[in-house]
Amino acid sequence: MLRAASPSGSPASDQAVELFAGLVEAGVREVVLSPGSRSQALALAAAEYERAGLLRLRVRIDERTAGFTALGLAVGSGSPVAVVTTSGTAVANLHPAVLEAHHSGVPLVLLTADRPAELRGIGANQTTHQPGIFGVAVAWWRDVEAPGDGADDADADDDAARAAAGARALARVAVRAALGQGTPDDGLPLAPGPVQLDLAYREPLSAAVEALPEVDPEADPVPTTRAPRRVLRLAVDDVPATVVVAGHAAGPVAERAARQLGAPLVAEVSSGARFGPSLVPSYREVLRDPAFGGRARRVVVFGHPTLSREVPSLLTTAGVEVVVVQGDAPEAYDPSRDAVVVDAIEVVAGPADPDDRAHRAWVGRWVQAGRARLAADDAAPDLAAAGSDDAAVRARFLRGEVDLLRRPVTRASLAESVWRVTWPHDRLVLGASRLIREFDRQVGGKAVRVHANRGLAGIDGTIATATGIALAAAREGGRGGTTRVVVGDLTALHDVGSMLLGVGEERPRLQLIVGDDGGGTIFDGLEVAATAPADAMRRVQTTPQQVDFSALAAAYGWRHVLATTRSELDRALVAPGEGPVLVEVPLRD
Ligand SMILES: Cc1ncc(C[n+]2csc(CCOP(=O)(O)OP(=O)(O)O)c2C)c(N)n1
Ligand SMILES: [Mg+2]
């Protein structure tokens, strides 16, 4: 009697179980999936791994949400995350998150279920051209043939074992590809990003998974960091003239480099390097000043600067030498097209010392100039009045403070309030548009974790990304921090579907802070606003809305707080409470 080649009765389920075994062994801990028929073997296998405590599973009905949730989880955890979808438009709905992940070098393993070869190209239901559907946004993909053909043969056990080993190996290669752990010889990507396994399945699409195979999650994870290939040795300038720029996701390495080079540090708010003694506040104004930006002769760039015009202008100034430390991005940030692009710098001893008087003075002047500009715009409380011996002066001070707290919230005060309550155990996520720029303009140095989707600066997927970051933060030792995501009203509404957390899904401690100015007001600041007819401008650019955010929160089972004054906002930001809350903040300028 010959045996069937499939241990479970469904080659699809056999393969799905082994694929997840390979993913777990390679270091994947999180899977986000959206439901579907063709993907059922993957979904049910993932559920078994979750039950066994080997994977955590997040289920989202909208693949666009699933993709961005996975992106947030990957950014927040520093590990690759798997995403499972069914076939057809389901796959295409991942595209926005895939593009963002590609441009910011975030590792995702997309498992997209597909029809087998015999059902492709004949108009079969829910069937399109999925392999390679993401184009250049996916640096590695495989069109994986449907497993098994159900044929009985004498080597059934051998075939099953071979198929199992093949699936595990394929999963491991996919993780190596997602983490950019290729070598110039093996054809795998050299930088992290999304990868796709397009997995064809034929009937029977699944069978009960009786038992999981042996899996050792700690045995051999694929490393999540890569050794730098191109390392540039840099010496401290003889005559100080270097500036370090930390764009998005630069990381603390940029802050260290500034200190080692005796250079002022220009750090965007989501750089991960906005702290330390070299940090220049109000960097835009300082860069514009010929006495500062005009004196820079060498700029070392980390991360992806996107928030100012002054940084690209500096990098394209004649006579300025630019070194770009590329990091995880697929493209080096090089507006001059003339930079020296490397993976890391090593500061080496030269004749000058970063702590000598000349370098300290160079950094000190930049920092002071920035502080002076910040203080000029700052309505800092008059602490002398607070401590005055004169009761009338003290009373006037207190009345002023109380008055301030009753005032409506402005963009600047919103940024200030949120920054003030953010601490290292918290996470801050900033949506695209005006508010991130407001933070960037005015908040001071603090070693807190700030995230933003700056790969493409889309207003899409921000709630889902923040949810992923909050879920990842909750796993990190459960230290009880809060994830706050600050977005404009249109950015919130663009991703409103991501407020849907299905029954039984983990509800993260997330504050969705919506700065509501009735539409996309960023366009008011563009040159076009001065020339376009006001009503057309409003209709096609501002796109005003009057959504009832309280009803919206209620519909999705979120708490809702309306914060119209600064004190109401301050209270809402630190209010205890489990699960997600929408904090609606009507904005006055
Ligand atoms: C997916 C996507 N679509 C369109 C845009 C263009 N865009 C940039 S900002 C913006 C308006 C954002 O409005 P809102 O979130 O209310 O922020 P505000 O400018 O009012 O602060 C739009 C449509 C984009 N960045 N991403
Ligand atoms: Mg708005």
Side-chain angles (χ1 to χ4, degrees):
M1 173 68 187
L2 299 176
R3 284 158 302 179
S6 166
S8 75
S10 161
S13 284
D14 301 336
Q15 189 210 49
V17 161
E18 293 296 339
L19 279 172
F20 281 115
L23 291 176
V24 169
E25 289 188 334
V28 172
R29 295 289 175 270
E30 296 272 359
V31 180
V32 186
L33 79 78
S34 300
S37 169
R38 193 59 50 171
S39 53
Q40 60 187 262
L42 292 163
L44 294 167
E48 285 306 316
Y49 277 92
E50 183 188 51
R51 207 180 357 210
L54 291 163
L55 279 174
R56 285 180 293 275
L57 181 59
R58 323 291 181 174
V59 182
R60 299 292 187 268
I61 60 158
D62 180 340
E63 292 78 10
R64 204 167 59 151
T65 299
F68 278 107
T69 305
L71 177 87
L73 280 162
V75 168
S77 67
S79 296
V81 173
V83 187
V84 174
T85 74
T86 191
S87 63
T89 54
V91 182
N93 275 300
L94 294 178
H95 211 145
V98 168
L99 282 169
E100 176 60 31
H102 170 67
H103 284 275
S104 2
V106 177
L108 299 178
V109 180
L110 314 173
L111 307 174
T112 56
D114 201 349
R115 298 302 198 257
E118 63 273 19
L119 293 180
R120 295 186 190 175
I122 56 159
N125 181 38
Q126 218 176 310
T127 309
T128 183
H129 301 275
Q130 292 179 197
I133 191 171
F134 301 112
V136 294
V138 156
W140 182 91
W141 53 268
R142 286 289 175 273
D143 181 3
V144 184
E145 257 182 50
D149 56 6
D152 291 353
D153 70 43
D155 297 327
D157 284 345
D158 285 355
D159 284 352
R162 242 194 319 275
R168 277 198 199 206
L170 181 64
R172 187 173 185 82
V173 172
V175 173
R176 284 187 48 222
L179 284 166
Q181 296 289 3
T183 64
D185 306 324
D186 66 12
L188 294 182
L190 303 174
V195 300
Q196 180 194 14
L197 287 177
D198 193 63
L199 299 156
Y201 290 120
R202 57 172 70 93
E203 313 272 345
L205 292 175
S206 70
V209 177
E210 300 291 342
L212 294 179
E214 281 285 289
V215 179
D216 180 355
E218 308 301 333
D220 193 16
V222 176
T224 53
T225 53
R226 294 162 301 135
R229 281 174 299 125
R230 300 162 297 182
V231 180
L232 181 69
R233 293 155 69 87
L234 284 183
V236 175
D237 293 319
D238 291 348
V239 178
T242 296
V243 176
V244 170
V245 169
H248 173 69
V253 65
E255 194 274 335
R256 194 165 57 243
R259 276 185 287 119
Q260 291 175 333
L261 287 166
L265 171 65
V266 162
E268 291 189 352
V269 65
S270 64
S271 63
R274 198 171 172 114
F275 59 93
S278 321
L279 182 72
V280 180
S282 290
Y283 68 82
R284 293 171 174 205
E285 286 86 346
V286 182
L287 285 178
R288 274 203 300 271
D289 187 335
F292 292 93
R295 297 227 170 116
R297 290 290 164 269
R298 181 170 72 174
V299 185
V300 183
V301 184
F302 294 82
H304 184 198
T306 62
L307 295 176
S308 77
R309 292 182 181 187
E310 286 77 6
V311 165
S313 154
L314 172 66
L315 300 186
T316 47
T317 302
V320 173
E321 177 197 342
V322 180
V323 174
V324 172
V325 180
Q326 189 170 348
D328 289 340
E331 291 166 15
Y333 180 74
D334 182 13
S336 70
R337 297 179 180 272
D338 197 24
V340 177
V341 179
V342 296
D343 298 311
I345 59 161
E346 187 189 335
V347 179
V348 293
D353 178 338
D355 277 330
D356 66 20
R357 196 196 278 207
H359 286 84
R360 286 226 308 271
W362 165 247
V363 176
R365 279 200 303 277
W366 280 69
V367 173
Q368 284 309 326
R371 283 202 189 131
R373 278 160 179 92
L374 194 63
D377 320 330
D378 212 11
D382 178 1
L383 294 178
S388 168
D389 293 336
D390 181 340
V393 172
R394 282 203 310 277
R396 205 163 43 240
F397 169 79
L398 283 177
R399 270 200 305 280
E401 288 295 289
V402 169
D403 207 44
L404 196 66
L405 287 173
R406 287 199 194 118
R407 279 197 216 157
V409 183
T410 62
R411 269 181 212 87
S413 79
L414 172 59
E416 194 274 320
S417 293
V418 171
W419 193 249
R420 188 162 18 89
V421 299
T422 303
W423 294 107
H425 55 280
D426 297 321
R427 301 286 180 271
L428 180 57
V429 183
L430 300 175
S433 208
R434 290 179 79 175
L435 283 163
I436 187 169
R437 289 181 171 76
E438 195 62 51
F439 276 82
D440 191 56
R441 231 188 305 277
Q442 57 150 345
V443 300
K446 207 178 203 185
V448 292
R449 285 178 51 179
V450 183
H451 302 278
N453 285 338
R454 299 310 295 174
L456 288 181
I459 61 165
D460 46 349
T462 315
I463 298 175
T465 304
T467 305
I469 283 169
L471 291 169
R475 293 284 142 195
E476 250 182 50
R479 275 171 294 149
T482 299
T483 298
R484 299 186 180 88
V485 49
V486 185
V487 291
D489 49 309
L490 296 190
T491 304
L493 294 171
H494 201 293
D495 197 27
V496 75
S498 294
M499 289 175 69
L500 175 58
L501 299 167
V503 172
E505 292 300 312
E506 184 175 337
R507 297 172 71 78
R509 197 145 142 192
L510 179 68
Q511 293 181 352
L512 168 60
I513 300 157
V514 182
D516 186 3
D517 53 10
T521 61
I522 194 167
F523 303 120
D524 299 354
L526 301 184
E527 287 81 356
V528 61
T531 53
D535 52 347
M537 187 68 199
R538 209 171 139 70
R539 174 95 201 284
V540 303
Q541 296 286 118
T542 313
T543 56
Q545 57 74 32
Q546 291 184 324
V547 167
D548 180 341
F549 281 100
S550 145
L552 195 63
Y556 284 103
W558 287 41
R559 289 178 290 125
H560 170 265
V561 179
L562 176 66
T564 52
T565 65
R566 296 176 193 199
S567 65
E568 282 169 357
L569 176 62
D570 288 347
R571 262 203 306 278
L573 293 175
V574 296
E578 288 308 307
V581 57
L582 188 159
V583 181
E584 176 187 353
V585 187
L587 286 179
R588 290 290 162 73
D589 62 75

